[in-house]
Amino acid sequence: MNKRHFIRTAAALATLAAMGAAQAQTPIKFQLDWRFEGPAALFLQPAAKGYFKAAGLDVTIDSGNGSGGTVTRVASGTYDMGFADMAALMEFHANNPDAPNKPVAVMMVYNNTPAAVLALKKSGITKPADLSGKKLGAPVFDAGRKGFPIFQKANNISNVAWTSMDPPLRETMLVRGDIDAITGFSFTSLLNLEARGVKAEDVIVMNYADNGVKLYGNAIIASPKLIAENPAAVKAFLTAFAKGAKDVMANPATSIETVKARDGIINVPLETRRLQLAIDAVVASPDARKEGFGQIVPGRLALMASQVSDAYGTKTRVDPAKIWNGSMLPAAADLNVLPPAKK
């Protein structure tokens, strides 16, 4: 009887301990910048592998509909953290100087903006200068379109005309010849063009990062409320994320299954390619290797703040000191996540 009593008591204590651990999980509502596509694996992997849970976090991840929306929802308190373009974050700060809960970036993920100008070879456009006098198209909120004045100035491009459309029509209108070129995320628009029957070798991709524009891309953002009340939770999130991101970059093909688990109708080969393109172009880019994954260079951030202020025509100037908080970044060893450079 004593033995059975001991076993029952031990089991009860274990159950109570498990319940206590579950209760101790800090809830984090996280919003992506876009749909559940290849790059979302960077966040879905640590969730699926239990890395967030092991760090004491109960993380829910939702899809988004653009960086601007993600910034706004974190600012409103609907979400605690999110994934958003740094330029969109800067624009929100500068246009809402009196907002009480302006999000801040806490970890850089896309060290370079994925923004690019894409054209079809048959158009005769082969370099940025060829865009002078041409008709460009993109949704009005597209990061590449909003940042185009920076690209335009860096490459001495004269007047261009813009056509606006909803995102699903962007690549279709380029294929039809309604416009000469488009702006968009390189790894999104290229694959969208392929899906419309265009061969990759027939597309000219002019990445902003390769043509004199060193804007940062997407970062993990957090609400000042969460940072003030629980900075340890933010650091725990970033550490678990980095661990998952390392897994993803080591084996993108396997990691894409976490995306399929959230959206069962995705094209797995296509999204695997999209993920690999994103890793190569903006996550494990030469600039990221030089600066260190997750981190920023103050001078580069300050230049971007000035450029965004001008290009976006913000109400006030962007203050880079209020955009970034790197105090919760994981230890250097935990940030050593980039795969070996390709030869």
Side-chain angles (χ1 to χ4, degrees):
M1 289 294 291
N2 286 342
K3 185 176 181 180
R4 284 201 297 272
H5 178 71
F6 173 78
I7 292 173
R8 283 199 301 270
T9 302
L13 289 171
T15 300
L16 287 170
M19 289 174 61
Q23 290 171 351
Q25 297 271 314
T26 301
I28 300 284
K29 286 193 67 179
F30 186 92
Q31 183 166 65
L32 296 170
D33 63 325
W34 198 239
R35 298 186 287 261
F36 290 118
E37 295 181 340
L42 293 166
F43 297 94
L44 298 176
Q45 176 82 358
K49 288 289 186 179
Y51 297 159
F52 290 133
K53 199 169 195 177
L57 305 175
D58 178 16
V59 178
T60 57
I61 301 172
D62 293 333
S63 61
N65 60 357
S67 287
T70 299
V71 173
T72 300
R73 292 181 191 109
V74 174
S76 72
T78 306
Y79 286 86
D80 305 295
M81 301 180 70
F83 188 50
D85 179 47
M86 281 289 279
L89 179 66
M90 288 180 171
E91 181 182 28
F92 182 86
H93 269 253
N95 283 340
N96 301 277
D98 300 322
N101 193 49
K102 293 189 287 292
V104 296
V106 292
M107 175 183 271
M108 185 57 59
V109 180
Y110 291 174
N111 186 279
N112 299 100
T113 176
V117 179
L118 296 91
L120 303 182
K121 276 188 179 177
K122 65 182 182 181
S123 70
I125 297 171
T126 61
K127 58 188 183 298
D130 297 333
L131 295 170
S132 294
K134 294 295 192 292
K135 185 187 292 184
L136 273 65
V140 291
F141 59 82
D142 175 68
R145 177 172 177 172
K146 295 182 82 168
F148 186 79
I150 305 170
F151 181 87
Q152 188 172 12
K153 184 177 180 180
N155 294 282
N156 297 313
I157 300 167
S158 56
N159 60 308
V160 299
W162 283 97
T163 298
S164 302
M165 75 287 289
D166 290 332
L169 290 175
R170 170 173 27 200
E171 291 79 16
T172 299
M173 291 181 70
L174 180 64
V175 173
R176 285 198 317 225
D178 297 333
I179 47 182
D180 301 308
I182 59 174
T183 58
F185 277 12
S186 58
F187 49 77
T188 297
S189 287
L190 177 62
L191 296 185
N192 288 349
L193 285 167
E194 287 187 38
R196 286 158 178 77
V198 180
K199 294 180 181 179
E201 58 266 29
D202 292 330
V203 181
I204 298 294
V205 181
M206 292 169 274
N207 292 303
Y208 281 26
D210 298 330
N211 290 279
V213 180
K214 290 298 185 181
L215 300 178
Y216 284 111
N218 284 35
I220 295 174
I221 64 174
S223 79
K225 183 175 184 293
L226 177 63
I227 293 172
E229 295 176 358
N230 201 343
V234 179
K235 184 168 184 176
F237 181 98
L238 299 180
T239 303
F241 166 77
K243 184 177 181 181
K246 185 173 185 177
D247 290 352
V248 172
M249 288 186 273
N251 198 337
T254 299
S255 304
I256 208 70
E257 290 302 319
T258 64
V259 184
K260 185 171 176 58
R262 290 300 301 265
D263 184 351
I265 64 170
I266 67 164
N267 180 324
V268 171
L270 182 75
E271 295 308 330
T272 303
R273 280 191 62 210
R274 195 190 309 275
L275 174 57
Q276 188 64 65
L277 285 169
I279 292 170
D280 293 343
V282 297
V283 182
S285 66
D287 286 326
R289 295 181 186 282
K290 182 172 65 176
E291 296 180 8
F293 177 77
Q295 303 176 69
I296 58 98
V297 171
R300 182 178 164 193
L301 187 68
L303 174 60
M304 178 178 175
S306 177
Q307 291 175 322
V308 167
S309 299
D310 293 336
Y312 286 49
T314 54
K315 292 179 182 177
T316 64
R317 302 294 294 179
V318 178
D319 182 353
K322 294 180 179 177
I323 300 294
W324 173 258
N325 184 342
S327 66
M328 291 153 289
L329 282 172
D334 294 321
L335 288 172
N336 184 22
V337 303
L338 299 180
K342 293 183 178 181
K343 295 181 180 179

